[in-house]
């Protein structure tokens, strides 16, 4: 009898335990959801949110780019609004006004916001030594080093100009080999731009047919694509599952390749002959080590350096290459613009020498076209993400600690309250009435603004000008008869890039 009674008792006990477990799980889920969706007092207004999914379904349903949707919502809810885009996180504050953005990114607000690392990235790598993702005092020191290194390497000087023009000659030779046939300009442009970054980072360039360069660029393209990454940022642990096997393979390739280059620099390092940024970084770390604040040598040093070099290689390649490709996309749609650029090049530079940075002040129309391309299609439609580090007031709203901050650069440079008919491609908005001088717009910030603006802005502007003028000096870009013009809608990745297109480069 005792045995017969024990079975129901055990079953009852098990059911009670399961009920308690279920109740505990339900309570945990409820508390998480409550935390995520409890709206803090005086938070900026925003669109209505779905439970758990937030505003993500509305973005998907729109069929538009995220920066376009957020710009439309800003017109309805204000230039400071709150949205919920990630199911695993709470609301974020979106800023779409240039004045507020400049205030937020000023040194007076340094205690209020800082860089926020993407959840998936924090799962993948140690962000120490990153120019892009570092935060706090280490990020300030690294930025100071980066600006100093760029100056020493000749950004804004003849030494760097010679490197870019040398690479432009290789690019022109590669395009000439196409002999007026239609081809995809994407790879040659990326090869040329990445080689400029390689020369100042690694101390050498690659041949365009080098399989290592091809794999480096392919790996950058793959890891910058969006898709499953959205799920990975919601649940970072998925990075270690088969879903991300290919992504892990490419990340490991980049890490191993750059780490080996850093090790080679360590073994041949000469403090009296600093060849590139890696050497300068090694010297910087050794100096700090002597002062008692370094990271040491060997594996610790390579781990400190490799990610920063990847930042320069990746961001430096994608931003400039995409701008040059956007420029050619626009002149294919507006061929009269290409003719005016070429006329200006003929009058200022001629055909017997390469363009120079000294020519820039005498070429207002070419510079205006480049600025208009950057305004309409900035390489980054948003700044890199921020997070608040303490509660503060902004435009009459209370911004709580720990909330994400999204700054919509695209919205600011396509704001009809600031720019007349911003949807129109109009280089004239950057020119004086007589067309002889450039107009500087305070609201033109394609490389962001403030203390965390793009570290390589000077390098990027020099590259775009020299590559563009070299190309238009030697070629006229045309579509094959009957081919449609590039749609100019763009593809959102780490940068905002044009859709693939084929073009004929007719030698001039």
């Amino acid at each position: 009898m005792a045995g017969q009674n024990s079975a129901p008792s055990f079953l009852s006990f098990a059911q009670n335990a399961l009920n308690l477990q279920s109740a505990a799980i339900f309570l945990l889920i409820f508390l998480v959801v409550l935390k995520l969706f409890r709206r803090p007092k005086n938070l900026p207004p925003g669109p209505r949110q779905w439970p758990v999914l937030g505003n993500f379904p509305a973005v998907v349903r729109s069929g538009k780019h995220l920066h376009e949707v957020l710009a439309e919502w800003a017109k309805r809810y204000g230039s400071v609004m709150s949205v919920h885009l990630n199911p695993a996180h709470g609301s974020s504050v979106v800023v779409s006004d240039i004045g507020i953005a400049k205030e937020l990114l000023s040194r007076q607000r340094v205690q209020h916001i800082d860089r926020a690392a993407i959840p998936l990235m924090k799962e993948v790598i140690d962000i120490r030594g990153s120019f892009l993702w570092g935060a706090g005092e280490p990020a300030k020191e690294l930025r100071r080093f980066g600006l100093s290194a760029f100056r020493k390497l000749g950004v804004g000087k003849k030494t760097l100009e010679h490197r870019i023009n040398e690479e432009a000659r290789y690019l022109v030779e590669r395009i000439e080999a196409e002999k007026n046939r239609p081809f995809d300009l994407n790879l040659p442009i990326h090869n040329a731009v990445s080689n400029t970054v390689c020369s100042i980072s690694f101390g050498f360039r690659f041949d365009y047919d080098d399989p290592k360069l091809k794999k480096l660029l392919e790996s950058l393209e793959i890891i910058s694509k969006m898709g499953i990454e959205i799920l990975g940022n919601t649940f970072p642990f998925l990075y270690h599952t088969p879903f991300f096997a290919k992504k892990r393979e490419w990340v490991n390739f980049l890490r191993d390749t750059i780490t080996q280059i850093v090790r080679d620099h360590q073994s041949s390092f000469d403090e009296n002959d600093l060849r590139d940024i890696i050497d300068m970084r090694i010297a910087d770390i050794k100096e700090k080590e002597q002062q008692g604040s370094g990271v040491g040598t060997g594996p610790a040093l390579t781990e400190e350096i490799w990610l920063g070099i990847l930042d320069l290689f990746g961001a430096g390649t994608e931003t400039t290459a995409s701008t040059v490709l956007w420029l050619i996309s626009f002149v294919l749609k507006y061929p009269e613009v290409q003719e005016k650029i070429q006329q200006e090049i003929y009058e200022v530079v001629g055909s017997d020498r390469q363009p120079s940075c000294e020519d820039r002040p005498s070429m207002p129309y070419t510079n205006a076209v480049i600025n208009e391309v950057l305004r309409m299609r900035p390489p980054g439609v948003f700044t890199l993400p921020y997070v608040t580090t303490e509660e503060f007031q902004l435009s009459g709203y209370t911004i709580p600690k720990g909330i994400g901050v999204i700054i919509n650069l695209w919205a600011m440079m396509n704001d009809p309250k600031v720019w007349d008919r911003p949807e129109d491609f109009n280089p004239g908005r950057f020119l004086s009435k007589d067309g002889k001088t450039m107009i500087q717009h305070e609201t033109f910030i394609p490389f962001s603004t403030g203390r965390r603006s793009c570290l390589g802005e000077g390098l990027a502007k020099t590259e775009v000008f020299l590559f563009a003028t070299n190309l238009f000096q030697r070629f006229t870009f045309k579509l094959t008869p009957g081919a449609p013009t590039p749609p100019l809608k763009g593809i959102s990745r780490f940068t905002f890039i044009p859709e693939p297109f084929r073009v004929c480069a007719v030698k001039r």
Side-chain angles (χ1 to χ4, degrees):
M1 295 292 292
Q4 291 176 351
N5 289 333
S6 64
S9 299
F10 175 78
L11 182 61
S12 177
F13 173 79
Q15 289 174 336
N16 289 334
L18 285 172
N19 289 337
L20 286 173
Q21 187 180 41
S22 299
I25 292 172
F26 175 80
L27 180 61
L28 179 62
I29 293 173
F30 175 78
L31 291 174
V32 169
V33 172
L34 182 65
K35 181 180 179 181
L36 291 177
F37 290 93
R38 184 179 58 190
R39 188 176 182 84
K41 290 183 178 180
N42 199 32
L43 195 67
R48 183 175 298 178
Q49 303 174 4
W50 285 83
V52 181
L53 297 177
N55 301 119
F56 185 71
V59 174
V60 174
R61 195 166 55 245
S62 72
K64 299 179 180 179
H65 291 303
L66 177 60
H67 58 267
E68 295 174 320
V69 176
L70 294 182
E72 290 176 1
W73 287 350
K75 294 174 183 177
R76 190 182 316 167
Y77 300 103
S79 51
V80 179
M81 64 178 177
S82 59
V83 299
H84 184 184
L85 300 172
N86 191 325
H89 301 277
S91 296
S92 295
V93 171
V94 181
V95 175
S96 304
D97 176 83
I98 181 65
I100 298 172
K102 285 186 173 182
E103 175 194 345
L104 199 56
L105 298 177
S106 68
R107 297 190 184 280
Q108 287 70 36
R109 292 282 190 177
V110 67
Q111 76 276 18
H112 292 150
I113 69 169
D114 207 342
R115 177 71 74 235
I118 296 174
L120 183 59
M121 175 169 284
K122 291 171 67 177
E123 186 75 16
V124 174
I125 52 179
D126 184 345
I127 61 173
R128 288 179 304 165
S130 172
F131 288 103
L132 298 179
W133 304 102
E137 194 59 38
K140 295 178 187 177
E141 291 184 9
L142 193 57
R143 182 175 176 84
R144 284 192 289 269
F145 160 78
L147 292 171
S148 173
F150 276 136
R151 284 194 298 270
K152 291 175 182 176
L153 286 166
V155 172
K157 300 177 183 177
K158 280 285 186 182
T159 49
L160 180 64
E161 179 183 320
H162 290 323
R163 293 192 192 198
I164 299 170
N165 266 339
E166 179 187 17
E167 196 59 49
R169 289 194 292 272
Y170 286 113
L171 176 60
V172 166
E173 290 175 6
R174 175 52 59 96
I175 294 174
E176 284 179 344
E178 298 296 338
K179 299 186 181 300
N180 298 343
R181 296 182 298 245
F183 71 106
D184 186 349
L185 194 57
N186 180 71
L187 184 57
I189 294 294
H190 273 81
N191 284 340
V193 174
S194 66
N195 263 338
T196 303
V197 182
C198 287
S199 69
I200 66 175
S201 299
F202 303 154
F204 59 84
R205 66 177 298 278
F206 291 95
D207 183 84
Y208 287 178
D209 296 318
D210 191 313
K212 182 168 283 189
L213 176 61
K214 181 180 179 181
K215 193 169 182 179
L216 280 168
L217 293 175
E218 188 178 356
S219 60
L220 284 177
E221 180 182 4
I222 288 174
I223 66 173
S224 67
K225 283 182 178 178
M226 301 303 290
I228 194 172
E229 288 72 21
I230 296 174
L231 190 61
N233 281 318
T234 304
F235 306 105
F237 67 88
L238 291 176
Y239 180 76
H240 304 288
T241 69
F243 291 109
F244 283 83
K246 273 291 182 184
K247 193 76 67 174
R248 289 198 304 272
E249 177 185 333
W250 291 108
V251 169
N252 290 337
F253 169 75
L254 286 168
R255 184 201 303 265
D256 294 344
T257 300
I258 297 175
T259 297
Q260 185 57 54
I261 294 173
V262 174
R263 290 196 188 105
D264 292 342
H265 276 65
Q266 283 181 268
S267 63
S268 60
F269 176 75
D270 180 356
E271 63 180 8
N272 297 313
D273 181 23
L274 301 182
R275 300 159 290 186
D276 47 47
I277 286 181
I278 293 179
D279 275 355
M280 292 179 182
R281 187 73 177 118
I282 292 173
D284 179 63
I285 291 174
K286 285 181 177 291
E287 182 181 348
K288 287 185 172 65
E289 187 180 25
Q290 292 173 356
Q291 298 169 355
S293 59
V295 298
T297 58
L301 187 143
T302 57
E303 189 67 23
E304 182 78 13
I305 294 177
W306 86 270
L307 183 55
I309 299 302
L310 176 60
D311 288 344
L312 297 178
F313 181 71
T317 296
E318 284 294 315
T319 53
T320 302
S322 63
T323 301
V324 174
L325 290 168
W326 273 120
L327 175 58
I328 295 173
S329 297
F330 272 98
V331 301
L332 289 173
K333 185 168 184 177
Y334 305 101
E336 70 278 8
V337 172
Q338 182 171 212
E339 293 173 7
K340 290 181 181 179
I341 292 174
Q342 290 172 328
Q343 180 62 32
E344 190 171 64
I345 293 172
Y346 175 77
E347 293 172 356
V348 176
V349 182
S351 57
D352 296 331
R353 67 172 176 87
Q354 283 186 282
S356 164
C357 288
E358 292 177 356
D359 298 319
R360 288 174 74 177
S362 303
M363 301 178 68
Y365 184 78
T366 300
N367 287 302
V369 172
I370 292 171
N371 279 8
E372 181 68 345
V373 170
L374 284 168
R375 182 193 69 81
M376 295 190 73
R377 298 295 183 268
V381 288
F382 304 110
T383 65
L384 292 178
Y386 291 92
V387 65
T388 58
T389 51
E390 62 178 48
E391 182 178 291
F392 62 96
Q393 299 295 311
L394 182 68
S395 297
Y397 300 110
T398 302
I399 311 300
K401 178 181 179 180
I403 196 171
V405 177
I406 301 169
I407 297 178
N408 192 344
L409 297 177
W410 186 89
M412 297 171 194
M413 291 187 293
N414 285 271
D415 186 349
K417 297 195 299 293
V418 177
W419 305 90
D420 181 42
R421 298 182 62 84
E423 69 280 1
D424 290 348
F425 182 70
N426 176 22
R429 69 177 84 245
F430 288 97
L431 292 170
S432 60
K433 288 185 178 180
D434 61 8
K436 294 181 179 180
T437 56
M438 289 282 292
I439 295 175
Q440 302 299 325
H441 293 279
E442 291 186 2
T443 48
F444 177 66
I445 54 167
F447 298 96
S448 188
T449 185
R451 64 187 187 279
R452 292 300 293 264
S453 61
C454 177
L455 182 68
E457 179 178 350
L459 173 62
K461 288 179 175 178
T462 302
E463 285 184 284
V464 170
F465 175 79
L466 289 176
F467 279 125
T469 49
N470 271 279
L471 290 175
F472 290 124
Q473 181 189 49
R474 298 301 174 189
F475 305 102
T476 296
F477 294 96
K478 297 181 178 181
L479 294 165
T480 55
T485 57
L488 304 180
K489 180 174 174 57
I491 300 170
S492 287
R493 299 198 318 200
F494 179 75
T495 52
F496 191 46
I497 64 172
E499 294 90 340
F501 61 92
R502 295 176 68 81
V503 66
C504 297
V506 180
K507 192 173 179 179
R508 301 182 69 213

